[in-house]
Amino acid sequence: NAGVTQTPKFRVLKTGQSMTLLCAQDMNHEYMYWYRQDPGMGLRLIHYSVGEGTTAKGEVPDGYNVSRLKKQNFLLGLESAAPSQTSVYFCASSRRQGAGYTFGSGTRLTVV
Amino acid sequence: SQQGEEDPQALSIQEGENATMNCSYKTSINNLQWYRQNSGRGLVHLILIRSNEREKHSGRLRVTLDTSKKSSSLLITASRAADTASYFCATDGHQAGTALIFGKGTTLSVSS
């Protein structure tokens, strides 16, 4: 049972480039989330999904887009990367609202 | 905006001592959760306490919740070097279809 898998684990982008971060969970969880973690800032919610085909904005959604075409996958896209998007990105999933989250191991993204 | 705020920001203790971390939050909640994050890893769910509970135990962990003061504490008894990590509280609000809001965390260092 893999839990939540994030790919890639590391990436360096040039300003203006685009990329997609993939999150996959094998626990049949309804809810999925994308957070970013920056030093001294804790975790901030980017986007989340309460079920297949649904997405919603979190606290810091600007510059990101998401899609949840399949229940097990939640994709985070950066259309035109900026240095301010240098961060560690975490995906998480939960069975329902209010349940404990299972986190992936993170993607460390550097935008130069 | 951060809902939970942990205190202290950093804590250093010796093995065998108890570690206490506090979390304060601003709005009413359904439940409050604590997570651990080892350096360079994803977060791991430790314990969940519901708004109608005052205390909960799990192994060496004891969590209390005071909804009148909008605060919670996490006590780790008989700390071990392996407990060295960052600890985050996260709150689940009353609004349907929302996500956990995390605090900035307490960094615990346990030396042998």
Side-chain angles (χ1 to χ4, degrees):
Chain A
N1 192 338
V4 176
T5 303
Q6 292 184 234
T7 53
K9 295 192 184 310
F10 303 92
R11 185 74 185 267
V12 178
L13 282 181
K14 293 183 178 179
T15 298
Q17 286 186 320
S18 63
M19 79 164 293
T20 300
L21 283 68
L22 172 64
C23 177
Q25 53 96 3
D26 62 1
M27 298 168 287
N28 201 34
H29 284 174
E30 287 293 332
Y31 285 54
M32 296 187 75
Y33 317 86
W34 277 107
Y35 288 86
R36 60 177 287 173
Q37 185 175 35
D38 302 293
M41 298 293 292
L43 277 81
R44 293 182 292 169
L45 181 67
I46 304 171
H47 286 279
Y48 63 103
S49 168
V50 301
E52 182 179 319
T54 73
T55 63
K57 294 180 180 179
E59 179 187 355
V60 288
D62 293 342
Y64 305 95
N65 56 75
V66 288
S67 64
R68 182 106 181 264
L69 299 180
K70 293 184 178 180
K71 187 177 184 178
Q72 63 267 34
N73 296 336
F74 195 28
L75 278 64
L76 178 70
L78 286 74
E79 291 188 347
S80 179
S84 61
Q85 293 177 305
T86 293
S87 187
V88 181
Y89 293 85
F90 286 101
C91 176
S93 70
S94 67
R95 191 175 308 279
R96 53 176 173 73
Q97 181 174 349
Y101 287 9
T102 301
F103 277 83
S105 58
T107 295
R108 185 173 296 274
L109 175 67
T110 302
V111 183
V112 298
Chain B
S1 59
Q2 237 77 24
Q3 159 80 309
E5 195 161 319
E6 290 89 343
D7 171 62
Q9 289 187 331
L11 181 60
S12 293
I13 60 173
Q14 298 285 320
E15 259 191 333
E17 294 180 338
N18 294 341
T20 300
M21 289 158 266
N22 303 296
C23 170
S24 59
Y25 57 92
K26 299 172 185 173
T27 62
S28 62
I29 60 172
N30 277 329
N31 68 59
L32 185 144
Q33 303 180 27
W34 285 91
Y35 288 78
R36 182 188 74 232
Q37 183 181 33
N38 291 93
S39 181
R41 310 290 290 272
L43 281 74
V44 174
H45 180 256
L46 294 176
I47 196 165
L48 180 154
I49 186 165
R50 303 190 190 285
S51 61
N52 60 354
E53 297 176 312
R54 292 296 168 258
E55 187 171 312
K56 203 162 184 180
H57 296 255
S58 177
R60 292 184 296 112
L61 305 180
R62 173 179 165 245
V63 169
T64 61
L65 179 64
D66 186 335
T67 52
S68 67
K69 295 181 179 178
K70 291 187 170 58
S71 68
S72 173
S73 67
L74 170 67
L75 168 67
I76 304 174
T77 60
S79 296
R80 306 165 182 169
D83 294 326
T84 295
S86 292
Y87 293 82
F88 296 87
C89 68
T91 53
D92 174 52
H94 284 291
Q95 189 175 357
T98 58
L100 289 180
I101 301 176
F102 286 81
K104 296 182 181 180
T106 291
T107 300
L108 173 65
S109 177
V110 183
S111 54
S112 54

